[in-house]
Amino acid sequence: KPFVPRFLTARLPKGRKTRFFPCDQRELCIATAWAMVADRHSVLIFCPQRRSVEPFAKAIVDLAKRGSIVPVLDHDPAVLDNAIAIGTEWLGVDSPVLACLRLGVAIHHGALPTPYRKEVERLLRDGILRVTVSSPTLAQGLNLSATTLIFHGLKRGSEPIDIAEFRNVVGRAGRAYVDVEGLVLMPMFDRLTNRRAEWKEMVNSAKGKEMESGLLRLLLSLMARIVRKTKAKSMATVLDYLAGVTAWEFPVLPTENSDVNDQERGRWSGYLTTLDTALLSMLGEQEVPDDQIEAMLDDVLTSSLWTRRLQHRKPAVQQLLKTGLVARAKFIWGRTTATQRRGYFLAGVGLATGQALDADAAELNELLVRANGTILVDDAEEAIAAVTAFAKKVFAIAPFVPDDLPDDWPAILKAWLEGRALAPLASGREDEVLKFVEQALVYKLPWAMEAVRVRGLAHGDLLEGGLSMEDVELGVAVGAVETGTLNVSAAMLMHAGFSSRLAAISAVSQTQADFTTTAELRAWLREDAVASGRDDPDWPTTASHGLWLQFIESMAPERRRTWASTSHEIDVEWDDVGPPVGTALRFVDAGDETLVYAADFSRLGRLDEPLNSRRLGLTLASVGWLGDTIDVRYLGPGDLFRG
């Protein structure tokens, strides 16, 4: 049935006298998820807006305390130790995100620290966690699927999510080779008529939708706003506007309030940057006369998805989009040199950003060089001053502008570079501080540093002392900002895969390590003081020992172990009558189970003891002579079973 009324019945939970569970849209999604988990489903709750995710965490923790929902972790809690260690370092011991993790629920959104997200994603891949609450990171590349997908809503602000995003998210329902199909649910607590209409419209729009060109969609968004701005009654009016010098200024619409205007201005800037980058990649830095730009673009885009999808549009729309593309290319080429365009392309920025970097190049170059130089000579105070001054300049240049800039951001940056714990500094405003660190310090500021570096190299810029930028070290400051330490060895240890920032700093400090290459890092790991840490539960810190063992394993992976052929007899639970003795079988890993299939992929049963889903070797399996066991011949590095 498309709609299932009274799927759940509200009840009064412990501690509530008048407020039933579920009492709103969020709680209905939670109740639905728990009902599906009870039926042995894995569940993914999708929130169109990131800011909706952590309220889910608080609600889940509160409901668990009241006994309205039960923990869904059916593994030894020790399997969470590494994630808890990383999360505590970043989020603090009382974080609702970690409280959810202990219940068996993954909270996932882009503002969470990268080391924590990676560890949670590992737990998800291993089938440890049965419920995930995720932001749009789900549609932007998170490799995750579940048997059931639950939509918290279909709108981001006042606008519906994009059809392509909806299709992408829906595609996460169902596990490859395990489920014939996935289950997609949209719980509806209130506004039933509107919610049903929105759901039907989204589903119907998604049906049969062909793959669309990203370039075409980009131009459609830009041209649609220009048409609304010009109030064009004819194509000629729009084409004349595109030929003018103000064509690419943000089109302000009097019908939009200031909040919407600010949001749309940001989108416009982002769209133009993406379009500029695409044009620079297509035409390169070469000089192209105005009258040849259109022909060159046609030649480059021949047989592309842009050209194929453009043919499905009305002639007037085709003309508008092609004219817009050519007009923007002419706009860029008419205002830049080949050297500038090469610098912009290598830096991954558009025209406006590139011109801003050009204008401040001398000062930014010197600050970048000073930051790197002072880190190399262990002058922490000067290094922090240089990085802060650099950040003040680039945080005013889109797209390096942080979404939210805390008033005390220089103090946060200072604590970050000094290698101090952030949890005390973020207490009471975790979302604000951690979002700034993850977005501005780990991502945007290093991007700006690299943009300045490659732009300077492309231009052959000279420094105040007459040195070329090619003659000085320009890489250590980026690593310091990305990892949160001015200690080059600690930064390298984190880049190599050790997930704990505080423990990495502690490890290199305890051993007075000084390595700058991978070979030197490996030599350090072989030193007695470090190698003995494998057996020391307090190395490098008590909380991080599990992470250290995980890191050591990654540096000497199973792929390097000697493979051997081994035989095993494994108990099996058949779904029905077992197949004849000697029948060839397939194994399929499904979360916390190993399923048994026939050669044609028809399911037959499951193993009593699941195999290691990350095994590297080759497996031959057949029905054993007693009928209730499976004979397994395994060629691999001794990793058939879970450790």
Side-chain angles (χ1 to χ4, degrees), residues 1-8 22-32 150-154 166 184-203:
K1 296 181 180 180
F3 299 104
V4 183
R6 298 188 178 278
F7 175 69
L8 296 164
C23 70
D24 55 27
Q25 179 69 12
R26 181 182 295 114
E27 288 194 0
L28 180 58
C29 289
I30 294 170
T32 303
I150 296 174
F151 277 89
H152 176 229
L154 296 173
F166 177 76
V184 181
L185 302 176
M186 174 67 187
M188 301 178 187
F189 184 85
D190 51 13
R191 299 192 301 107
L192 299 184
T193 300
N194 289 342
R195 289 188 190 275
R196 288 178 180 178
E198 291 167 1
W199 178 255
K200 286 182 176 179
E201 182 179 358
M202 185 67 72
V203 171

Side-chain angles (χ1 to χ4, degrees), residues 82-235:
N82 285 350
I84 296 293
I86 298 173
T88 301
E89 178 179 316
W90 285 85
L91 308 172
V93 68
D94 297 323
S95 168
V97 172
L98 298 186
C100 275
L101 185 64
R102 292 185 177 96
L103 294 170
V105 180
I107 301 297
H108 192 288
H109 61 72
L112 287 172
T114 299
Y116 178 76
R117 288 204 318 271
K118 287 182 177 179
E119 189 61 26
V120 167
E121 289 165 16
R122 184 187 65 79
L123 293 171
L124 289 168
R125 287 194 301 271
D126 290 348
I128 305 298
L129 305 175
R130 302 289 297 281
V131 177
T132 306
V133 183
S134 178
S135 72
T137 51
L138 174 68
Q140 297 168 4
L142 175 58
N143 184 20
L144 173 64
S145 61
T147 58
T148 299
L149 173 68
I150 296 174
F151 277 89
H152 176 229
L154 296 173
K155 289 187 174 181
R156 185 167 296 122
S158 60
E159 295 296 321
I161 62 174
D162 188 86
I163 296 299
E165 181 178 354
F166 177 76
R167 285 167 57 88
N168 192 339
V169 174
V170 167
R172 306 305 173 116
R175 298 164 298 179
Y177 302 113
V178 178
D179 303 305
V180 176
E181 57 187 15
L183 187 61
V184 181
L185 302 176
M186 174 67 187
M188 301 178 187
F189 184 85
D190 51 13
R191 299 192 301 107
L192 299 184
T193 300
N194 289 342
R195 289 188 190 275
R196 288 178 180 178
E198 291 167 1
W199 178 255
K200 286 182 176 179
E201 182 179 358
M202 185 67 72
V203 171
N204 291 335
S205 297
K207 287 180 179 177
K209 194 80 172 180
E210 293 187 58
M211 182 182 294
E212 189 59 277
S213 161
L215 183 60
L216 189 144
R217 291 172 57 199
L218 193 63
L219 263 298
L220 275 174
S221 299
L222 292 167
M223 293 301 102
R225 191 168 184 90
I226 286 176
V227 169
R228 290 169 63 194
K229 167 68 176 179
T230 58
K231 298 179 181 179
K233 301 296 183 182
S234 67
M235 182 62 67

Side-chain angles (χ1 to χ4, degrees), residues 570-615:
I570 305 175
D571 291 333
V572 61
E573 181 181 327
W574 302 114
D575 292 342
D576 200 348
V577 178
V581 173
T583 301
L585 303 171
R586 297 177 184 268
F587 292 148
V588 174
D589 301 306
D592 56 354
E593 297 181 316
T594 299
L595 304 181
V596 181
Y597 284 74
D600 62 358
F601 274 107
S602 58
R603 174 171 163 160
L604 299 175
R606 66 183 182 87
L607 297 184
D608 285 355
E609 179 185 0
L611 303 180
N612 174 19
S613 61
R614 303 178 74 176
R615 60 190 180 276

